[in-house]
Amino acid sequence: MSVSAVERSAMRRALALARRGPRGVNPQVGAVILSPDGDVLAEGWHHGVGTPHAEVDALSQLAPGAARGTTAVVTLEPCNHTGHTGPCALALIEAGVARVVYSAEDPGVRSGGGAARLRAAGVDVAGGVLVDDGVALIDDWLVATRLGRPYITVKWAQSLDGRAAASDGTSRWITGPAARADVHERRASTDAILAGTGTILADDPALTARTPAGALHEHQPIPVVLGTRAVPADAAVRRHPHPPLFYDDLHVAVADLHARGIHRLFVEGGPTVASAFLRAGLYDEILAYTAPVLLGGDRLALTDIGVATIGAARRLRVASIEKLGDDLLIVAHPRPDATRAERSS
């Protein structure tokens, strides 16, 4: 079904409106209601958990019956289930909306299917409009919805011979300032950053995202601490802009973070924690910052990840290799076939 220039323009406006909403358990969604002549009658966006969805927010600004025959332009396929609020597909049908134009499809098992319900009720539906922009807007939410957990990045810094520290335990700094600045930029783009209690006790990290000048980035990831050892009351992580979350079980942590609306988790907790996530198959991206330094010894960047024979090796797909000053950043992802093997092991 064709889409008009007016509808495309309205979709761009809806995408801008969606960004006003908070990131969290629900996706950011925007909506614009157009008259049959293409005039904007109402706008809306999702304001957070428990509030009306974008379509209903926009419809609420119209007088009863004023939405009949209109077109609803929405950044995400209208939902088809009852949660904190009712199904948006039904709300649009009951309001008499004649046409719905949406960007990204809803992948949810319970929430998806809104387009089919609308069509069954006689509503004209056009999907996939500015779909790249629509998916990019809620990419984190889409991944978390599909996986049922956050998208997990595991990061470590290592010497050229795969060591995370010298024999005396010192590790500051294996990599140079360009690599460290890149890490902080990536921290600032995530929802939460996780470290183990071993790292907290040994290095006392603040788990903040900072600029090269030392100032805090505007967005700060929520600090997460994993482990059974007590964290001192004066630890730097306790002075983080967000109160830290503490867990003693990896799987409980991942499940609870997902329930809290954490879409992207940045694991930066030393060899023990990194290895635990890899061993459990809980990773979607690996960032290996590698410095042209030789350390020797037994302070490996990874410990046991459950590989007893070469046939069980975790095979990865290299996405990129970037030079950062004298250091290299290797970004890798698990291969789809390797991921299935890990989950079956």
Side-chain angles (χ1 to χ4, degrees):
M1 186 175 294
S2 62
V3 177
S4 69
V6 171
E7 290 170 338
R8 289 182 180 277
S9 178
M11 183 64 76
R12 283 189 283 271
R13 174 58 179 168
L15 289 165
L17 291 168
R19 295 185 182 94
R20 297 183 182 181
R23 285 162 49 90
V25 175
N26 296 116
Q28 293 171 299
V29 182
V32 174
I33 307 296
L34 299 176
S35 73
D37 295 327
D39 297 323
V40 175
L41 299 179
E43 299 178 336
W45 66 91
H46 184 51
H47 296 259
V49 176
T51 65
H53 289 187
E55 302 94 316
V56 176
D57 185 42
L59 290 171
S60 68
Q61 300 170 35
L62 300 177
R68 191 163 301 280
T70 61
T71 295
V73 179
V74 193
T75 59
L76 180 65
E77 177 186 3
C79 68
N80 191 36
H81 81 297
T82 300
H84 292 287
T85 60
C88 292
L90 179 59
L92 293 167
I93 293 168
E94 291 179 342
V97 171
R99 177 170 163 83
V100 172
V101 177
Y102 70 89
S103 180
E105 290 187 0
D106 188 331
V109 175
R110 294 175 58 242
S111 58
R117 184 172 188 174
L118 288 163
R119 290 191 180 99
V123 178
D124 290 333
V125 179
V129 178
L130 301 182
V131 66
D132 290 343
D133 295 322
V135 169
L137 171 70
I138 57 171
D139 179 59
D140 295 346
W141 178 83
L142 289 170
V143 171
T145 298
R146 186 173 69 250
L147 297 176
R149 61 164 175 79
Y151 182 95
I152 300 174
T153 295
V154 179
K155 169 265 175 183
W156 66 81
Q158 65 178 38
S159 62
L160 194 60
D161 54 347
R163 269 60 182 178
S167 59
D168 65 353
T170 56
S171 60
R172 294 186 177 181
W173 297 104
I174 288 178
T175 55
R180 297 198 297 274
D182 186 79
V183 170
H184 281 274
E185 287 285 346
R186 292 174 185 271
R187 286 184 182 183
S189 69
T190 62
D191 299 323
I193 177 172
L194 182 147
T197 51
T199 296
I200 297 295
L201 296 174
D203 299 335
D204 195 27
L207 299 186
T208 52
R210 301 181 300 278
T211 68
L216 293 178
H217 279 282
E218 181 177 357
H219 172 74
Q220 291 294 317
I222 295 172
V224 181
V225 180
L226 179 66
T228 58
R229 287 184 282 179
V231 174
D234 61 349
V237 71
R238 294 190 183 275
R239 300 191 296 275
H240 193 283
H242 299 294
L245 301 174
F246 295 92
Y247 302 94
D248 57 15
D249 181 89
L250 183 154
H251 295 280
V252 170
V254 169
D256 187 63
L257 291 173
H258 179 253
R260 290 173 180 267
I262 299 299
H263 300 160
R264 283 190 174 268
L265 174 62
F266 196 78
V267 177
E268 193 178 357
T272 300
V273 165
S275 299
F277 273 85
L278 296 181
R279 188 166 56 249
L282 292 172
Y283 65 101
D284 303 288
E285 179 181 60
I286 287 175
L287 306 178
Y289 293 84
T290 304
V293 174
L294 299 175
L295 294 176
D298 59 357
R299 301 270 184 167
L300 297 175
L302 291 178
T303 59
D304 176 26
I305 61 170
V307 175
T309 180
I310 193 66
R314 304 295 171 93
R315 303 291 179 178
L316 306 174
R317 174 180 59 83
V318 175
S320 65
I321 300 176
E322 183 178 356
K323 196 169 188 295
L324 299 169
D326 291 331
D327 306 317
L328 293 178
L329 167 60
I330 301 173
V331 180
H333 305 280
R335 295 180 180 177
D337 55 342
T339 301
R340 287 194 296 270
E342 287 168 11
R343 289 176 178 174
S344 64
S345 62

